[in-house]
Amino acid sequence: MGNRVAREDFEWVYTDQPHADRRKEIMAKYPEIKSLMGPDPRLKWIVCTMVAIQFLAFYLVKDLSWKWVMFWTYVFGSCINHSMTLAIHEISHNTAFGNNRARWNRLFAIFANLPIGLPYSASFKRYHLDHHRYLGGDGVDVDIPSDFEGWFFCTRLRKLFWIMFQPLFYAIRPLCINPKPISQLELLNVAIQLTFNAVLYWAWGAKPLVYMMMGSMLGMGLHPISGHFIAEHYMFLKGHETYSYYGSLNLLTFNVGYHNEHHDFPSIPGRRLPMVKEIAAEYYRDLPCYTSWVKVLYDFIMDDELSPYSRVKRRLTGEVKQE
C-alpha cells in the first residue's frame, strides 16, 4: 500500500479538446442529431419525485436508532443524493425548462439542492460550463486536481483516502485554482439551503439532518456511483481524455456515463444520449469505455501508474470567457 505512483506531473498536451471537432463531423453527417437537443419534459417531474422521496425518508428516519440511520444513509440516502447531484448537472445544461427559461432552470436547481444539504447548485453551474468549454484548461477547469493532490495522493492508501474525501476536494478546489466573485444566485442558494436545514432540524431533530448530510458525503466518496468521477476523464489509456460507461448504473445517474456523447453534445438531455450513440455509432464504437464503475475505483487505487496526476491538461491561449 506504500508504493509511490510513477507520475510526477499531468499529461500536458498542445492540441484542442476532441469534442468540438467530433461534434462538427457528426452534425454534418447526421443533421437529425439536432432534433435531440432541447429540454426533457420528464426531468422536472423525476426531480420533484426524488425530492419528495427524500422528504419522506427524513420523516421516517427521525425515530430510528442511530445504527439504522447510518445503515439507510449509505444504502439508500447516498444513492438518492448522488443521483440528485447529477440531476443538478442535467439542469445546469438547461434541460429542465430550456435555454429560453434559464432563470427557471437556476431556481429549479436550488430546489433540487434541498435534500443534498450542501448549497452548491449555483456554483456548480458556473464552474461546470467552464469545464465543458475549456476541458483540461490550466487554471480554469476545476475538475482537474490541484498540484498538491497529484503530489500527495501518490500511494494506494492515500488514493483510497482521496476518493473517500472527494466531496471536500471538489468543494475546496475552486477556491484555490479559480476563485470567482460570489454571485447573488449563490447567496440565494446558501440562504435557502441553510434555512431549509434549520427548519428540518427544528421539526424532526438531528437524525434527518445527519441522514441528509452524511448521505451526500458518503454517496460522493467511496461509493459505487462515485466511480463516474474517475471514469469520466482520468487517463487510463494514453491519448484518451474522456471515457464513457455503458453499465446499469446509468439508470440512477441520468446517463452521465455516456460521457463522450455528453461532451460532444452537452445540450442533449441525458435520456437521449443513447440515441446519439445509436445514430453515430461509428464515432463511438472504437473509443475505450467501461462497464463497471466499481472496477474503475479498484483499478485506480491499485494501479501504481494512476493518480490524481493522470489527467490531460492544456494551457489556454487567446481570450478566455468564463461564466
Side-chain angles (χ1 to χ4, degrees), residues 129-130 133-134 140 180 318-323:
L129 296 187
D130 292 340
R133 192 176 294 134
Y134 304 111
V140 175
K180 298 183 178 184
E319 185 181 6
V320 176
K321 297 180 179 179
Q322 300 187 58
E323 288 296 315

Side-chain angles (χ1 to χ4, degrees), residues 21-39:
D21 288 341
R22 187 160 60 225
R23 181 187 310 123
K24 291 177 183 177
E25 287 186 31
I26 293 176
M27 287 293 292
K29 190 172 182 179
Y30 301 106
E32 63 269 30
I33 289 279
K34 193 170 183 179
S35 67
L36 302 178
M37 299 176 183

Side-chain angles (χ1 to χ4, degrees), residues 17-38 89-90 93 95 132 255 258-273 275-277 279-280 283-284:
Q17 59 164 297
H19 300 288
D21 288 341
R22 187 160 60 225
R23 181 187 310 123
K24 291 177 183 177
E25 287 186 31
I26 293 176
M27 287 293 292
K29 190 172 182 179
Y30 301 106
E32 63 269 30
I33 289 279
K34 193 170 183 179
S35 67
L36 302 178
M37 299 176 183
H89 166 257
E90 279 283 286
H93 291 285
T95 56
H132 274 271
N255 282 333
Y258 287 77
H259 217 66
N260 266 303
E261 295 85 346
H262 171 61
H263 270 264
D264 289 350
F265 299 98
S267 58
I268 294 180
R271 184 167 65 89
R272 301 181 192 136
L273 289 176
M275 299 172 68
V276 173
K277 182 174 182 284
I279 292 170
Y283 286 91
Y284 299 106

Side-chain angles (χ1 to χ4, degrees), residues 202-216:
W202 174 78
W204 292 333
K207 290 176 181 177
L209 198 63
V210 170
Y211 167 86
M212 175 176 66
M213 303 290 282
M214 287 300 296
S216 297

Side-chain angles (χ1 to χ4, degrees), residues 3 9 29 64 69-72 80 87 97 110 115 119 141 183 193 208 221 236 243 247 253 255 263 265 292-293 312:
N3 294 343
D9 198 359
K29 190 172 182 179
L64 295 179
V69 169
M70 297 310 297
F71 173 81
W72 288 113
I80 293 290
F97 297 100
I110 292 175
D141 183 2
S183 68
Q193 189 65 58
F236 280 68
Y243 303 77
T253 58
N255 282 333
H263 270 264
F265 299 98
S292 170
W293 278 335
V312 171

Side-chain angles (χ1 to χ4, degrees), residues 244-262:
S244 287
Y245 157 84
Y246 299 125
S248 58
L249 287 177
N250 277 314
L251 296 172
L252 296 177
T253 58
F254 299 91
N255 282 333
V256 75
Y258 287 77
H259 217 66
N260 266 303
E261 295 85 346
H262 171 61

Side-chain angles (χ1 to χ4, degrees), residues 65-81:
S65 67
W66 280 107
K67 173 181 68 177
W68 287 108
V69 169
M70 297 310 297
F71 173 81
W72 288 113
T73 294
Y74 190 80
V75 171
F76 183 76
S78 61
C79 297
I80 293 290
N81 275 13

